Short mmCIF file of all heavy atoms in Angstrom, two decimals:
data_model
loop_
_atom_site.label_atom_id
_atom_site.label_comp_id
_atom_site.label_asym_id
_atom_site.label_seq_id
_atom_site.Cartn_x
_atom_site.Cartn_y
_atom_site.Cartn_z
N LYS A 5 78.56 95.01 106.42
CA LYS A 5 78.61 95.47 107.87
C LYS A 5 79.69 96.60 108.04
O LYS A 5 80.78 96.55 107.44
CB LYS A 5 79.07 94.16 108.66
CG LYS A 5 78.10 93.16 108.61
CD LYS A 5 78.54 92.05 109.65
CE LYS A 5 77.46 90.78 109.59
NZ LYS A 5 77.89 89.72 110.40
N THR A 6 79.26 97.45 108.71
CA THR A 6 80.17 98.68 109.08
C THR A 6 80.67 98.60 110.56
O THR A 6 79.94 97.98 111.41
CB THR A 6 79.45 100.01 108.81
OG1 THR A 6 78.24 100.13 109.70
CG2 THR A 6 79.06 100.15 107.39
N GLY A 7 81.66 99.28 110.79
CA GLY A 7 82.30 99.22 112.18
C GLY A 7 83.68 99.43 112.07
O GLY A 7 84.34 99.60 111.00
N THR A 8 84.28 99.53 113.32
CA THR A 8 85.68 99.51 113.50
C THR A 8 86.27 98.32 114.01
O THR A 8 85.77 97.75 114.95
CB THR A 8 86.12 100.81 114.31
OG1 THR A 8 85.44 100.51 115.52
CG2 THR A 8 85.55 102.18 113.77
N SER A 9 87.44 97.99 113.54
CA SER A 9 88.14 96.84 114.11
C SER A 9 89.21 97.29 114.99
O SER A 9 89.76 98.29 114.92
CB SER A 9 88.80 96.04 112.89
OG SER A 9 89.55 96.84 112.15
N PRO A 10 89.49 96.53 115.96
CA PRO A 10 90.57 96.79 117.09
C PRO A 10 91.88 96.92 116.42
O PRO A 10 92.20 96.36 115.44
CB PRO A 10 90.44 95.59 118.07
CG PRO A 10 90.01 94.53 117.32
CD PRO A 10 88.96 95.09 116.26
N PRO A 11 92.77 97.87 116.86
CA PRO A 11 94.05 97.99 116.38
C PRO A 11 94.94 96.76 116.58
O PRO A 11 94.91 96.03 117.60
CB PRO A 11 94.71 99.16 117.17
CG PRO A 11 93.93 99.04 118.47
CD PRO A 11 92.54 98.69 118.11
N VAL A 12 95.84 96.51 115.61
CA VAL A 12 96.70 95.36 115.60
C VAL A 12 98.03 95.81 115.95
O VAL A 12 98.62 96.41 115.23
CB VAL A 12 96.69 94.63 114.35
CG1 VAL A 12 97.60 93.41 114.32
CG2 VAL A 12 95.29 94.12 113.85
N ILE A 13 98.45 95.17 117.11
CA ILE A 13 99.77 95.79 117.60
C ILE A 13 100.86 95.06 116.70
O ILE A 13 100.78 93.93 116.52
CB ILE A 13 100.04 95.40 119.08
CG1 ILE A 13 98.99 96.11 119.93
CG2 ILE A 13 101.50 95.64 119.56
CD1 ILE A 13 99.08 95.66 121.39
N GLY A 14 101.73 95.89 116.23
CA GLY A 14 102.87 95.27 115.42
C GLY A 14 102.60 95.57 113.85
O GLY A 14 103.53 95.28 113.17
N GLY A 15 101.47 96.12 113.49
CA GLY A 15 101.16 96.53 112.27
C GLY A 15 100.80 95.60 111.27
O GLY A 15 99.66 95.14 111.45
N GLY A 16 101.61 95.06 110.41
CA GLY A 16 101.11 94.16 109.21
C GLY A 16 101.10 94.84 108.00
O GLY A 16 101.90 95.86 107.80
N SER A 17 100.09 94.57 107.19
CA SER A 17 99.98 95.35 105.88
C SER A 17 99.22 96.54 106.13
O SER A 17 99.14 97.35 105.19
CB SER A 17 99.36 94.30 104.93
OG SER A 17 98.06 93.98 105.39
N SER A 18 98.47 96.73 107.24
CA SER A 18 97.62 98.00 107.35
C SER A 18 98.55 99.26 107.43
O SER A 18 99.73 99.28 107.95
CB SER A 18 96.86 97.82 108.69
OG SER A 18 96.13 99.12 108.96
N GLY A 19 98.00 100.27 107.00
CA GLY A 19 98.69 101.62 107.12
C GLY A 19 98.75 102.19 108.46
O GLY A 19 99.72 102.91 108.77
N ASN A 20 97.81 101.89 109.30
CA ASN A 20 97.84 102.32 110.71
C ASN A 20 98.47 101.35 111.65
O ASN A 20 97.85 100.32 111.91
CB ASN A 20 96.31 102.58 111.12
CG ASN A 20 95.65 103.68 110.50
OD1 ASN A 20 96.38 104.65 109.95
ND2 ASN A 20 94.40 103.61 110.20
N GLU A 21 99.62 101.55 112.04
CA GLU A 21 100.42 100.62 112.90
C GLU A 21 100.29 101.09 114.42
O GLU A 21 100.28 102.36 114.60
CB GLU A 21 101.88 100.46 112.51
CG GLU A 21 101.92 99.91 110.99
CD GLU A 21 103.23 99.64 110.51
OE1 GLU A 21 104.22 100.21 111.33
OE2 GLU A 21 103.56 99.13 109.43
N TRP A 22 100.43 100.20 115.34
CA TRP A 22 100.23 100.47 116.67
C TRP A 22 101.38 99.90 117.47
O TRP A 22 102.01 98.92 116.97
CB TRP A 22 98.82 100.06 117.17
CG TRP A 22 97.69 100.62 116.55
CD1 TRP A 22 97.23 100.26 115.31
CD2 TRP A 22 96.93 101.59 116.88
NE1 TRP A 22 96.10 100.98 114.95
CE2 TRP A 22 95.95 101.85 115.94
CE3 TRP A 22 96.90 102.50 118.05
CZ2 TRP A 22 95.05 102.90 115.97
CZ3 TRP A 22 95.92 103.47 118.06
CH2 TRP A 22 95.02 103.69 117.19
N GLU A 23 101.55 100.44 118.76
CA GLU A 23 102.66 99.85 119.45
C GLU A 23 102.25 100.08 120.97
O GLU A 23 101.37 100.90 121.27
CB GLU A 23 104.09 100.60 119.29
CG GLU A 23 104.05 102.12 119.64
CD GLU A 23 105.27 102.79 119.35
OE1 GLU A 23 106.15 102.06 118.90
OE2 GLU A 23 105.46 103.82 119.92
N SER A 24 102.82 99.35 121.91
CA SER A 24 102.51 99.42 123.38
C SER A 24 103.64 100.22 124.04
O SER A 24 104.83 99.95 123.92
CB SER A 24 102.52 97.94 123.91
OG SER A 24 102.17 97.99 125.29
N ARG A 25 103.09 101.28 124.81
CA ARG A 25 103.97 102.19 125.57
C ARG A 25 104.13 101.48 126.89
O ARG A 25 103.36 100.66 127.39
CB ARG A 25 103.44 103.54 125.73
CG ARG A 25 103.42 104.34 124.33
CD ARG A 25 104.76 104.50 123.67
NE ARG A 25 105.63 105.40 124.52
CZ ARG A 25 105.76 106.64 124.23
NH1 ARG A 25 105.14 107.26 123.23
NH2 ARG A 25 106.63 107.29 125.08
N PRO A 26 105.19 101.86 127.71
CA PRO A 26 105.36 101.53 129.07
C PRO A 26 104.10 101.75 129.81
O PRO A 26 103.41 102.84 129.88
CB PRO A 26 106.50 102.30 129.63
CG PRO A 26 107.25 102.71 128.41
CD PRO A 26 106.31 102.81 127.35
N GLY A 27 103.53 100.67 130.59
CA GLY A 27 102.39 100.86 131.33
C GLY A 27 101.17 100.24 130.73
O GLY A 27 100.12 100.19 131.23
N GLY A 28 101.46 99.72 129.47
CA GLY A 28 100.40 99.02 128.75
C GLY A 28 99.59 99.78 127.90
O GLY A 28 98.61 99.37 127.24
N MET A 29 99.71 101.13 127.76
CA MET A 29 98.94 102.07 126.88
C MET A 29 99.27 101.73 125.36
O MET A 29 100.51 101.82 124.99
CB MET A 29 99.16 103.48 127.24
CG MET A 29 98.30 104.48 126.33
SD MET A 29 98.50 106.22 127.03
CE MET A 29 100.27 106.41 126.63
N VAL A 30 98.30 101.43 124.65
CA VAL A 30 98.42 101.16 123.16
C VAL A 30 98.36 102.48 122.38
O VAL A 30 97.26 103.22 122.54
CB VAL A 30 97.52 100.13 122.58
CG1 VAL A 30 97.75 99.99 121.17
CG2 VAL A 30 97.66 98.79 123.42
N VAL A 31 99.29 102.91 121.67
CA VAL A 31 99.27 104.08 120.77
C VAL A 31 99.73 103.96 119.53
O VAL A 31 100.20 102.88 119.21
CB VAL A 31 100.18 105.22 121.51
CG1 VAL A 31 99.78 105.51 122.91
CG2 VAL A 31 101.71 104.64 121.49
N GLN A 32 99.36 104.87 118.56
CA GLN A 32 99.80 104.78 117.15
C GLN A 32 101.33 104.86 117.14
O GLN A 32 101.97 105.63 117.85
CB GLN A 32 99.23 105.85 116.44
CG GLN A 32 99.25 105.62 114.80
CD GLN A 32 98.43 106.61 114.15
OE1 GLN A 32 97.77 107.44 114.65
NE2 GLN A 32 98.49 106.43 112.71
N ARG A 33 101.91 104.01 116.27
CA ARG A 33 103.34 103.94 116.22
C ARG A 33 103.87 105.28 115.60
O ARG A 33 103.33 105.91 114.90
CB ARG A 33 103.77 102.88 115.11
CG ARG A 33 105.33 102.60 115.01
CD ARG A 33 105.62 101.50 114.08
NE ARG A 33 105.04 100.32 114.55
CZ ARG A 33 105.61 99.48 115.52
NH1 ARG A 33 106.81 99.94 116.04
NH2 ARG A 33 105.10 98.29 115.89
N ARG A 34 105.12 105.70 116.22
CA ARG A 34 105.67 106.94 115.95
C ARG A 34 106.07 106.87 114.49
O ARG A 34 106.39 106.08 113.88
CB ARG A 34 106.93 107.24 116.77
CG ARG A 34 106.68 107.06 118.36
CD ARG A 34 108.00 107.17 119.13
NE ARG A 34 107.75 106.82 120.49
CZ ARG A 34 107.85 105.65 120.89
NH1 ARG A 34 108.11 104.59 120.20
NH2 ARG A 34 107.69 105.31 122.13
N THR A 35 105.89 108.17 114.05
CA THR A 35 106.28 108.29 112.56
C THR A 35 107.71 109.13 112.45
O THR A 35 108.07 109.36 111.34
CB THR A 35 105.27 109.13 111.77
OG1 THR A 35 105.00 110.42 112.36
CG2 THR A 35 103.93 108.41 111.71
N ASP A 36 108.32 109.54 113.58
CA ASP A 36 109.46 110.39 113.56
C ASP A 36 110.66 109.58 113.70
O ASP A 36 111.77 110.05 114.10
CB ASP A 36 109.43 111.50 114.47
CG ASP A 36 109.42 111.01 115.96
OD1 ASP A 36 109.02 109.83 116.19
OD2 ASP A 36 109.74 111.79 116.84
N GLN A 37 110.70 108.19 113.62
CA GLN A 37 111.90 107.34 113.86
C GLN A 37 111.80 106.29 112.91
O GLN A 37 110.81 105.69 112.53
CB GLN A 37 111.89 106.90 115.35
CG GLN A 37 110.65 106.13 115.72
CD GLN A 37 110.92 105.73 117.25
OE1 GLN A 37 111.16 106.44 117.99
NE2 GLN A 37 110.57 104.47 117.44
N ASN A 38 113.02 105.74 112.61
CA ASN A 38 113.15 104.53 111.78
C ASN A 38 113.55 103.28 112.49
O ASN A 38 113.72 102.32 111.98
CB ASN A 38 114.28 104.95 110.71
CG ASN A 38 113.74 106.15 109.92
OD1 ASN A 38 112.63 106.12 109.40
ND2 ASN A 38 114.74 106.95 109.58
N SER A 39 113.68 103.43 113.76
CA SER A 39 114.11 102.27 114.70
C SER A 39 113.62 102.44 115.97
O SER A 39 112.91 103.46 116.30
CB SER A 39 115.57 102.02 114.62
OG SER A 39 116.11 103.17 115.46
N ASP A 40 113.86 101.52 116.88
CA ASP A 40 113.27 101.62 118.20
C ASP A 40 114.25 102.42 119.06
O ASP A 40 113.97 102.65 120.37
CB ASP A 40 113.23 100.16 118.94
CG ASP A 40 112.13 99.33 118.18
OD1 ASP A 40 111.12 100.06 117.72
OD2 ASP A 40 112.13 98.12 118.15
N VAL A 41 115.35 102.85 118.59
CA VAL A 41 116.26 103.70 119.37
C VAL A 41 115.68 105.01 119.50
O VAL A 41 115.43 105.76 118.50
CB VAL A 41 117.71 103.70 118.67
CG1 VAL A 41 118.60 104.57 119.41
CG2 VAL A 41 118.10 102.32 118.50
N PRO A 42 115.53 105.61 120.65
CA PRO A 42 114.99 107.07 120.83
C PRO A 42 115.97 108.04 120.16
O PRO A 42 117.18 107.83 120.18
CB PRO A 42 114.98 107.15 122.37
CG PRO A 42 114.93 105.86 122.83
CD PRO A 42 115.76 104.97 121.96
N ARG A 43 115.42 109.10 119.65
CA ARG A 43 116.08 110.27 119.07
C ARG A 43 116.34 111.26 119.96
O ARG A 43 115.39 111.55 120.87
CB ARG A 43 115.27 110.72 117.85
CG ARG A 43 115.22 109.65 116.65
CD ARG A 43 114.51 110.44 115.54
NE ARG A 43 115.12 111.61 115.25
CZ ARG A 43 114.49 112.77 114.55
NH1 ARG A 43 113.23 112.65 114.47
NH2 ARG A 43 115.15 113.83 114.33
N VAL A 44 117.38 112.04 119.81
CA VAL A 44 117.65 113.29 120.64
C VAL A 44 117.34 114.48 119.76
O VAL A 44 117.77 114.56 118.63
CB VAL A 44 119.13 113.39 121.12
CG1 VAL A 44 119.36 114.70 121.87
CG2 VAL A 44 119.43 112.20 122.13
#
């Protein structure tokens, strides 16, 4: 069977990790940070 599976928030062992932004929008996890602390 072919198809796409829904993104899993929080990641796991998959290479594509996702996170929830303010307002409920689900986006791919940032790759420019090592923690949840915003960078300047």
Side-chain angles (χ1 to χ4, degrees):
K5 296 181 179 180
T6 60
T8 57
S9 58
V12 178
I13 299 176
S17 59
S18 173
N20 295 325
E21 298 183 352
W22 301 80
E23 65 180 8
S24 179
R25 294 298 293 262
M29 182 172 64
V30 177
V31 298
Q32 191 168 0
R33 185 177 296 278
R34 306 176 190 87
T35 58
D36 65 339
Q37 62 181 42
N38 297 321
S39 67
D40 292 333
V41 180
R43 294 180 55 208
V44 174

